[in-house]
Structure formats: structure tokens, C-alpha cells
Amino acid sequence: MSQQLRIQLDLQWFAGEKTEPATAKKRQDARKKGQVAKSMELPAAFILLFSFVTLLMFGSFMKGRLIHIFRNVYENQLTMDITMGNVKMLFADLTLQGLTIIAPICILVLLIAFIGNYAQIGFMFIGEPLMMKFEKLNPISGFKRIFSMRTIMEFVKSTLKMLIIGYAVFTTLMAHKARLLGLGHAPLENTFSFVASITLSLGLKIGAILIILAIFDFIYQRYEHEKSLKMSKQDIKDEYKKSEGDPLIKGKIRAKQRQMAMQRMMQEVPKADVIITNPTHFAVALKYDANNMQAPTVIAKGADYVALKIKEIAKQNGVMTMENKPLARAIFAQVEIGDAIPADLFQAVAEVLAYVYKMKGKTN
């Protein structure tokens, strides 16, 4: 293999390597497909932690309501007549009181779930991820997903999480080992109170641990997301071509536009009153209509080949041509097509037009 061919292959390889950050369009397209950096563990960890915080804050209220329900059932409702109306009323009352007990946790869970997702990805509602895709049923693709690097990382994270949580539970229980062994001789109310306090303590510890792990998971998910969005230099060029248009095609469009503009300009040359020339390099076509124009107007101009073409068309249509090098250069440099002659050139142009009208037998 020659050195030149090897260099060319190396350049093609580097051009195809995804080393560039994703463009704004690539990020927007990925978001439309639901591909965002998101950790499912972060909202779940916050929900767990704040659920136990809610139990800690409203535990006394929930305990009081539960005691009230049982007392009411045992003291009043066990002795009532069993009729369809009484049973319906009993279940409606128990349902309402049960909802009152769990309402703080439910409201907090919904709020934390919304905040946890919104903080990561903002407001996003798309239907594409919910659409049926038959390629997901492909067993080969499924096998690749099962044994992919992402799956291995998820397994490692789950194992690490279980080990850390297990250690926290073990150390907490061992710290209360003596009291746990003595629960068999303790009153029932003390046993329930101790178990509840241990449960709350473990819940808060586990929730805090999961939040810390979820933060690291979110950082990892962002890293993986950015890595998946990376583009090669060729991808960026292709995207630019699609969004802005192929430079070759754009060049052809501009050439066509210039050609059409040239044709329109040449169609205006026969309407000119005079063509002022350099005489070889520049040509400027002037027209003046006292009824519609405040000053003479440039309707065509050109240099070199275009100037020659203007003079040929003027000759074919009987438009007078005058040589005035300084004036031709000044008008060509200062006045665009369709613009009126500026005040500093008006005197010189007026003299030219007066001479033209005189030669044609016209009057001012």
C-alpha cells in the first residue's frame, strides 16, 4: 500500500470517528425521540426518602386516625345491623378515613415524582417512544441488549447498591442487637414503637444512600447520553448540507439568479437615454423621466464583458453612447442599479443629457 493511499485511509478513518460534541439540531432531534439524559433512580430515591420523612412528620396523626378507626369499629359498628345500607355506609366511611391517612404520602409522592423528572429533562411530552416498533421483537437485538455494556453497568450498579444498603441495615440492626433480643419480654406497645423507630431510621438512611447513588447515576447517564450524541466531522458536514443546502447546489442557484438578473438588466438597456462609457472597461445606462423621476436613474451598468454587451444592445436599439471616463467610473463606483444619481454628480450628468437631447432634437 502506497504512503499516499495510507494517509488517505487514515484521514477517512479520523473523519468518521465521533469526537465532536453534538450540534443543537442533533440534540433537538434526540429530544423529540425521547433520548435525554435521565436517571430513573433519582426520583425513586427522593420518593423513598420523603415518604419516610412524611411518616416521621405525620406519624402521630396517622397513628391517631388508625386508633380512631379501630375504636369506632369495635365499639360502635360491630353491633349494628347488617343491611345493605349499613354495609355501604361502613365501607364508604372506612375508605374516606383510609384516604385521609395516606393522603399526605400520596400528595408528596406525586409532587416529588414531578419535580424529580422536571428537574432532569424539563417539560416533555412525546408519543414516539410509545409507538410499536417491530424491530424490538427481534431476538438477536434483544440478546445484544441483554449482554451489552450498558446492561453490565446496570448489574454492577444494582450489586453495589444492594451491598451498601445491606451494610447500612446490618450495622443499624447490630447497634440495637441487645434491645432486639429483648423484644420477646417487652410489652406489645413498646415493641411496635421500637420497630417503628427502627424502620423510620432505616428508611431515612436508605433514602439518603439511594439519593447519593442516584446523583452519581445521573452524572453517568449524562456522560453516556453525551457520548451517544457525539458526531464525526463528516456527520456535522452532512447535517450542515441538509440544513443549509449543498454548497454546490447553492452556487448553481446563485449563478442562475445572477444570470436572470443580468437578463432583466439587459432588457432595460433599450429604454435608456444614454450610455456613458469608459470607453472599454465600464458602461452605465441612464434614464430620466421628468414626470416620474426626481433625478436621472441608473438602469444598467457593467464592467468588461458586461460593459461590451450593454454597448452592443444600445447600438442595436439606437441608444446614444458617450465616452466620459471620469463620469463613467464615478457612477459605476457610487450608484447601484435602480438608484438615482447623487447630487455631486448631477451637474455632470445633466450636461450629458442636455447634449443627448440636443442631438435628438429634444428640449429640456
Side-chain angles (χ1 to χ4, degrees):
M1 184 183 296
S2 65
Q3 183 69 17
Q4 183 178 1
L5 180 59
R6 186 180 294 108
I7 293 173
Q8 184 177 359
L9 291 175
D10 289 342
L11 289 175
Q12 290 177 354
W13 186 84
F14 281 115
E17 189 179 4
K18 297 183 182 297
T19 57
E20 304 301 315
T23 61
K25 185 179 184 304
K26 178 72 176 290
R27 295 180 186 277
Q28 186 178 5
D29 292 342
R31 184 178 177 83
K32 289 179 180 178
K33 296 178 182 178
Q35 299 173 1
V36 291
K38 177 182 176 182
S39 173
M40 298 299 295
E41 298 181 7
L42 197 58
F46 275 105
I47 288 172
L48 178 64
L49 177 64
F50 281 96
S51 295
F52 280 99
V53 170
T54 305
L55 287 173
L56 187 63
M57 294 172 59
F58 296 94
S60 299
F61 165 77
M62 294 179 180
K63 176 184 175 183
R65 297 301 300 178
L66 281 173
I67 293 174
H68 172 75
I69 290 174
F70 281 104
R71 180 180 290 119
N72 186 43
V73 170
Y74 285 122
E75 292 180 355
N76 303 318
Q77 294 171 341
L78 284 180
T79 58
M80 69 180 184
D81 296 332
I82 301 177
T83 63
M84 184 65 70
N86 288 341
V87 171
K88 287 183 177 179
M89 184 177 65
L90 174 61
F91 275 99
D93 182 59
L94 292 176
T95 302
L96 180 61
Q97 294 190 58
L99 290 176
T100 304
I101 292 172
I102 65 173
I105 294 180
C106 292
I107 293 173
L108 186 67
V109 165
L110 290 174
L111 185 62
I112 294 299
F114 175 79
I115 294 174
N117 285 279
Y118 183 82
Q120 293 185 81
I121 61 175
F123 182 77
M124 184 175 68
F125 181 79
I126 53 176
E128 184 170 341
L130 302 177
M131 295 177 63
M132 177 62 115
K133 295 182 179 180
F134 291 100
E135 59 266 21
K136 292 184 177 180
L137 302 177
N138 188 344
I140 298 177
S141 301
F143 182 81
K144 290 180 179 179
R145 286 196 296 269
I146 292 173
F147 294 96
S148 65
M149 181 58 66
R150 189 178 188 87
T151 306
I152 295 174
M153 287 299 300
E154 291 296 328
F155 174 75
V156 172
K157 287 192 300 181
S158 299
T159 303
L160 180 63
K161 186 192 308 181
M162 293 303 298
L163 289 174
I164 295 175
I165 292 174
Y167 177 76
V169 173
F170 176 77
T171 53
T172 301
L173 294 179
M174 290 303 294
H176 299 84
K177 178 181 177 181
R179 191 169 179 183
L180 283 170
L181 294 175
L183 287 179
H185 305 286
L188 186 60
E189 184 177 356
N190 292 344
T191 301
F192 279 129
S193 177
F194 176 70
V195 171
S197 65
I198 288 290
T199 303
L200 283 174
S201 176
L202 283 175
L204 294 174
K205 286 182 180 179
I206 293 172
I209 291 170
L210 290 179
I211 286 177
I212 295 173
L213 295 176
I215 291 173
F216 284 106
D217 179 65
F218 177 68
I219 295 172
Y220 170 74
Q221 295 296 339
R222 284 189 65 90
Y223 166 76
E224 284 292 320
H225 180 66
E226 291 296 326
K227 184 179 177 181
S228 67
L229 289 180
K230 280 192 173 182
M231 306 171 68
S232 64
K233 296 182 184 297
Q234 186 62 41
D235 291 337
I236 296 176
K237 290 180 181 178
D238 293 340
E239 182 186 286
Y240 177 78
K241 286 181 180 180
K242 289 180 182 179
S243 60
E244 300 294 331
D246 193 323
L248 182 61
I249 296 176
K250 290 176 68 177
K252 290 181 178 180
I253 293 174
R254 285 194 294 266
K256 187 65 176 178
Q257 290 173 342
R258 286 194 297 267
Q259 182 181 358
M260 294 173 65
M262 182 69 67
Q263 290 176 352
R264 288 194 298 268
M265 184 183 72
M266 292 303 177
Q267 291 173 359
E268 296 294 319
V269 172
K271 302 176 184 178
D273 291 321
V274 64
I275 308 297
I276 303 176
T277 65
N278 190 34
T280 56
H281 296 296
F282 301 106
V284 180
L286 299 179
K287 179 178 177 60
Y288 179 57
D289 184 352
N291 297 324
N292 300 316
M293 300 179 182
Q294 296 181 351
T297 302
V298 175
I299 61 174
K301 70 174 185 176
D304 300 328
Y305 171 78
V306 178
L308 181 61
K309 192 68 177 176
I310 290 174
K311 288 187 288 184
E312 288 180 0
I313 296 175
K315 184 177 180 181
Q316 293 171 3
N317 291 273
V319 179
M320 184 176 293
T321 300
M322 291 188 62
E323 179 182 339
N324 190 325
K325 295 180 181 180
L327 184 58
R329 286 180 177 272
I331 296 175
F332 184 87
Q334 299 180 31
V335 188
E336 297 297 329
I337 298 173
D339 293 344
I341 296 296
D344 57 335
L345 299 176
F346 190 80
Q347 181 63 34
V349 172
E351 293 177 358
V352 171
L353 289 176
Y355 177 78
V356 171
Y357 294 149
K358 183 178 179 181
M359 293 297 296
K360 290 183 176 181
K362 295 183 180 181
T363 58
N364 289 334

